[in-house]
Amino acid sequence: MSARPEPATLLITGGAGYIGAHTCVALQRAGYRLVVLDNFCNSSPQTLARIERITGQPLEGVQGDVRDRALLDRLFQSQAIQGVLHFAGLKAVGESSEKPLEYYSNNVAGSLVLMQAMQAAGVKTLVFSSSATVYGTPQFLPYTEAHPLAPVNPYGRTKLMVEDMLRDLHQSDADWRVGILRYFNPVGADASGLIGEDPRGIPNNLMPFIAQVATGRREFLNVWGNDYDTPDGTGVRDYIHVTDLAAGHVSALQHLEKTPGCLTLNLGSGQGHSVLEMVRAFEQASGRTIAHRFAPRRAGDLPAFWANADEARRILGWEARCSLLQMCEDTWRFQTQSAEAG
Ligand code: NAD
Ligand code: UFG
């Protein structure tokens, strides 16, 4: 009888955050052993316990900063880490204009320190959380991966800088296996209702704001602009269920394990939906009325963008499956259940 192979170990930076936590669930289910590094600046250690509860499998949580080179060196020396999924970073577009240096430090310097530690340890598989923000003002829609890259805010520029670093690194050493995943608008929550998006303070993003109006925590939703050149005048985005996004990471990682290279892929549903469509879908999912008012356009917002997701389907055989209704139902379940879950 042959021995069962040891599960591969991965380092997940920012794994207690919204997208990282859902990806941890998908990776554990796919058989990986996980070490999660997070400084909990925008998350809680409780999420790690909830991931274990969902999958029934333990993971190793390490509290620390991705910019701490000595800590990274210790982790790479003490654990048989074979690859890294790098979610850790700051993500609020508006805040990135107010505190650019924090964004360059966390997102750019953090990624640099991580790459240096990986190179020193000989770990050369890295999947990076990039964003559709790297494209900037649409020259054409839907965005393909070949669309020009011209981000219009510091947050987007940090993502582009890290992408450039990764492309240069792969160019210098073809042993690197790099996955650059450009996310569109992740929403929804794990079907268990145990993990989801729970922003601190007033939510910036549409879906968590709608969810808080539904519970009565906020009085009404401001719809930022109803005079765009879109079917109903409100902003259009490509919403993707976070569970689909998580599955995309597993597919990308498994592809890189077989095929060295530098892979750049849009992860979106390929469909645009307006703010009012989201409101109606959430009303259907929750059975609540979402009070909303039209307000002036939000500074810096693009009227509409969505993904061409053909490349991910062609290369990975991956595509987003969940409907808008499912995204809203799962968000609602998390919103109503998570507080009771302990
Ligand atoms: P999140 O804030 O929920 O998760 C990020 C996690 O990283 C948090 O747990 C936070 O505590 C941790 N973290 C931040 N800085 C750190 C540091 N220096 N050291 C260690 N841990 C640190 O965000 P998310 O929505 O899960 O996003 C994950 C990644 O995906 C980010 O890089 C983000 O920029 C990118 N992204 C997110 C979206 C989105 O709409 N949510 C869209 C495109 C790209
Ligand atoms: N919106 C409202 N009212 C709100 C919040 C949002 O009408 O209270 C509208 C916006 O104007 C926009 C749409 O809802 O038309 C979506 O807005 P979000 O703030 O949810 O998302 P964005 O597309 O502005 O940005 C998000 C992330 C970025 C990321 C980008 C692309 O916040 O970090 O998706 O992935 F870069």
Side-chain angles (χ1 to χ4, degrees):
M1 206 171 72
S2 61
R4 276 171 59 190
E6 282 286 305
T9 300
L10 301 171
L11 175 65
I12 315 296
T13 76
Y18 174 46
I19 303 167
H22 289 83
T23 306
C24 284
V25 169
L27 289 167
Q28 285 198 320
R29 287 185 174 146
Y32 293 94
R33 188 183 156 262
L34 305 183
V35 178
V36 173
L37 172 66
D38 204 301
N39 65 4
F40 303 117
C41 71
N42 196 35
S43 57
S44 142
Q46 191 188 43
T47 299
L48 301 182
R50 291 186 176 194
I51 295 167
E52 293 177 328
R53 206 165 131 191
I54 292 167
T55 63
Q57 292 169 48
L59 56 75
E60 185 158 341
V62 178
Q63 179 162 8
D65 198 292
V66 76
R67 292 163 292 185
D68 183 343
R69 174 67 194 267
L71 172 61
L72 290 178
D73 286 345
R74 281 200 300 281
L75 283 177
F76 285 117
Q77 276 157 19
S78 60
Q79 310 268 355
I81 292 165
Q82 288 160 32
V84 180
L85 283 85
H86 179 37
F87 297 93
L90 304 179
K91 63 166 181 174
V93 172
E95 188 187 59
S96 77
S97 294
E98 290 152 25
K99 304 174 181 172
L101 298 185
E102 283 189 29
Y103 277 69
Y104 288 108
S105 174
N106 263 278
N107 296 5
V108 181
S111 299
L112 175 63
V113 172
L114 176 64
M115 286 178 227
Q116 287 171 326
M118 289 177 69
Q119 190 168 50
V123 177
K124 295 185 176 179
T125 300
L126 177 60
V127 175
F128 171 62
S129 299
S130 189
S131 166
T133 319
V134 295
Y135 295 121
T137 307
Q139 309 297 309
F140 56 82
L141 285 171
Y143 290 129
T144 65
E145 288 82 357
H147 187 282
L149 303 176
V152 295
N153 53 60
Y155 167 70
R157 282 188 279 276
T158 67
K159 291 292 171 187
L160 181 53
M161 283 177 191
V162 177
E163 285 199 6
D164 282 337
M165 284 158 56
L166 287 166
R167 283 186 276 270
D168 287 340
L169 183 58
H170 178 262
Q171 193 70 34
S172 74
D173 176 357
D175 286 347
W176 274 85
R177 295 162 193 256
V178 175
I180 295 172
L181 304 182
R182 294 181 181 149
Y183 311 154
F184 280 70
N185 288 53
V187 296
D190 186 75
S192 64
L194 287 172
I195 57 172
E197 188 174 20
D198 191 13
R200 295 178 181 169
I202 302 171
N204 271 312
N205 295 113
L206 179 64
M207 192 65 134
F209 202 105
I210 290 180
Q212 293 191 6
V213 175
T215 59
R217 199 163 141 202
R218 314 252 163 228
E219 205 184 335
F220 59 88
L221 168 75
N222 280 305
V223 178
W224 304 125
N226 65 340
D227 57 353
Y228 285 115
D229 184 15
T230 58
D232 65 18
T234 66
V236 167
R237 295 291 184 272
D238 182 332
Y239 298 95
I240 174 169
H241 197 298
V242 67
T243 299
D244 279 332
L245 192 62
H249 288 75
V250 178
S251 299
L253 180 70
Q254 290 176 342
H255 178 85
L256 290 171
E257 286 170 349
K258 287 189 280 221
T259 323
C262 183
L263 194 63
T264 303
L265 294 173
N266 286 340
L267 294 186
S269 73
Q271 285 182 12
H273 291 286
S274 73
V275 175
L276 292 181
E277 280 181 271
M278 297 300 284
V279 167
R280 280 194 293 272
F282 208 94
E283 288 182 332
Q284 195 184 339
S286 64
R288 304 274 174 101
T289 300
I290 309 298
H292 56 280
R293 294 183 189 169
F294 294 117
R297 295 178 179 192
R298 185 170 66 176
D301 266 358
L302 292 168
F305 64 83
W306 63 98
N308 176 317
D310 291 351
E311 201 63 355
R313 191 182 307 114
R314 190 178 66 78
I315 295 180
L316 306 180
W318 168 92
E319 62 185 343
R321 291 172 192 283
C322 298
S323 66
L324 208 55
L325 187 61
Q326 208 171 335
M327 299 179 206
C328 295
E329 283 171 352
D330 289 339
T331 302
W332 182 235
R333 187 180 304 108
F334 172 69
Q335 193 71 36
T336 49
Q337 285 185 8
S338 69
E340 299 150 23

